[in-house]
Structure formats: structure tokens, C-alpha cells
Amino acid sequence: MEPDKFRESRQAINRLFENLNVLIEQNAVDASRECCQEAQTQLDRLIPLADNEVQERSVKNLGLKIKHLLSLINKIKVKKGSASGIEKIGVIPVEWDEDRIKQLSSVFLKKVSANMGNDLNASVCFDTTGKGVRPSYQIRFGNKDTTTFSGSAHKPREKALSGGSHKISRPFSCMAIDSALNAR
């Protein structure tokens, strides 16, 4: 291949490598892989055109550079959402209504009712995250005190249900809980 054209092709690949280094520093996995694929494609076109020892050595060095950059791409750690902070995309919140409450186990409902006590003015709100099998819940008593309970152990928790109105169901009266229990 003519030396000037070979140099232009090699420089174009090196510019892709520079872009690739920036993408790797930014932890952009997908964009890095696309850029690396483009560099590999250009190198694959250049390899058969290398017709002397200098050009063959240059092509070999470019190949080694691609392998090195590909290993750096594979080491990029993708950030995952934590269970305590970042809301998961695509997760549908549980819609709580009387019919949904009736689907809870009778053992679960009995424990919720027991935690509400004999307070006829008490109401309960359920957590809308998770699968809705043993949701955490928050009881607001007639005297305006609020207690949050773990859905699995039915023990009081120190922290209230988080996330505002979109992560907590509407309140249900103790009569709604009793009605769900009696429907069994």
C-alpha cells in the first residue's frame, strides 16, 4: 500500500483509540464497545493491504493496542442501583385495594389486625414496593401515633415507610382488614 494512504488509515485508527480512551474513562461501556468495533473493522481492512515489513509491524502494533483497550473495556464496572436508594426502572408498584388485601394470607392479616389492636379509628397503609406477598405496613392509630412494621416479622421498625405517596398505599380501616379476614 502507498505509504501516505497507509499513514492516513493508521492515523484514523489512532484517532478512534483516543476517542476510545475517553469513553473508557467515562465508563461508557456500550459506546466503548461500538468504538472498539469500528477500530477493529478499520484494522481488518488495513491488514491485507500491508505490503512491507514496516506496515506489517504497524498493523501488528495496532492489533495489540485494540486487545489492550478491549481488556480495559471489559474491566469497566457498571453501576447498579442500590436497594436503598435508586428506584429500579421498569418495576411496577403494587396496587393495593380491598381485593388485593384479600389475597394476603390469613396469618399475615391476623398479625396486621393484632398490631392494630382494638383501635377502631386505626388505619393501615401498605408498602407498594416488592411483590406484595408480605409487605411492610404502617399503622396510624386513632391518637395520631404512627408505627411501621416489618412485613415478614410483624415487629415495629424504627424507620417509617419511605418514598412518599407513590410508595405507600392509601389507608385502609381496621374494618377493611377484618372484612378481608372474614372473607376466608
Side-chain angles (χ1 to χ4, degrees), residues 87-96 100 127-133 166-168:
E87 192 171 333
K88 295 177 183 173
I89 297 171
V91 175
I92 300 170
V94 178
E95 297 275 337
W96 288 104
R100 182 69 186 235
D127 192 352
T128 61
T129 61
K131 296 179 182 175
V133 178
H166 68 283
K167 289 190 177 181
I168 301 173

Side-chain angles (χ1 to χ4, degrees), residues 1-9 46 49-52 55:
M1 178 178 210
E2 183 181 319
D4 288 339
K5 291 191 182 225
F6 184 84
R7 186 180 329 99
E8 287 173 17
S9 298
L46 189 61
L49 302 175
D51 58 1
N52 64 41
Q55 291 178 355

Side-chain angles (χ1 to χ4, degrees), residues 10-172:
R10 184 177 46 88
Q11 288 173 340
I13 294 171
N14 278 324
R15 281 191 294 275
L16 285 173
F17 289 159
E18 290 170 12
N19 291 339
L20 191 53
N21 278 324
V22 171
L23 292 171
I24 289 170
E25 286 177 16
Q26 294 173 347
N27 292 334
V29 177
D30 294 333
S32 297
R33 287 202 171 115
E34 286 178 26
C35 188
C36 188
Q37 184 62 41
E38 176 62 29
Q40 184 64 54
T41 302
Q42 287 189 21
L43 181 61
D44 290 342
R45 282 190 227 133
L46 189 61
I47 289 173
L49 302 175
D51 58 1
N52 64 41
E53 185 179 332
V54 172
Q55 291 178 355
E56 288 172 0
R57 197 170 356 136
S58 180
V59 165
K60 182 180 176 185
N61 288 338
L62 290 172
L64 292 172
K65 225 176 194 181
I66 284 181
K67 284 183 182 179
H68 171 69
L69 290 170
L70 192 56
S71 72
L72 293 177
I73 292 170
N74 291 332
K75 291 178 184 176
I76 295 174
K77 302 228 187 263
V78 179
K79 291 183 180 180
K80 296 180 182 174
S82 68
S84 64
I86 300 171
E87 192 171 333
K88 295 177 183 173
I89 297 171
V91 175
I92 300 170
V94 178
E95 297 275 337
W96 288 104
D97 58 16
E98 283 79 6
D99 291 333
R100 182 69 186 235
I101 292 173
K102 289 177 184 174
Q103 293 176 4
L104 293 169
S105 75
S106 58
V107 172
F108 182 88
L109 290 173
K110 284 178 187 174
K111 290 184 179 183
V112 171
S113 181
N115 282 333
M116 292 177 88
N118 294 328
D119 190 344
L120 296 175
N121 294 321
S123 62
V124 61
C125 297
F126 295 100
D127 192 352
T128 61
T129 61
K131 296 179 182 175
V133 178
R134 290 181 303 214
S136 295
Y137 54 96
Q138 189 168 288
I139 297 175
R140 183 171 185 158
F141 297 97
N143 63 3
K144 307 292 185 213
D145 285 343
T146 303
T147 306
T148 303
F149 293 89
S150 158
S152 56
H154 297 275
K155 302 282 184 211
R157 292 177 24 179
E158 290 189 24
K159 288 174 45 177
L161 294 180
S162 62
S165 62
H166 68 283
K167 289 190 177 181
I168 301 173
S169 74
R170 66 177 178 86
F172 295 95

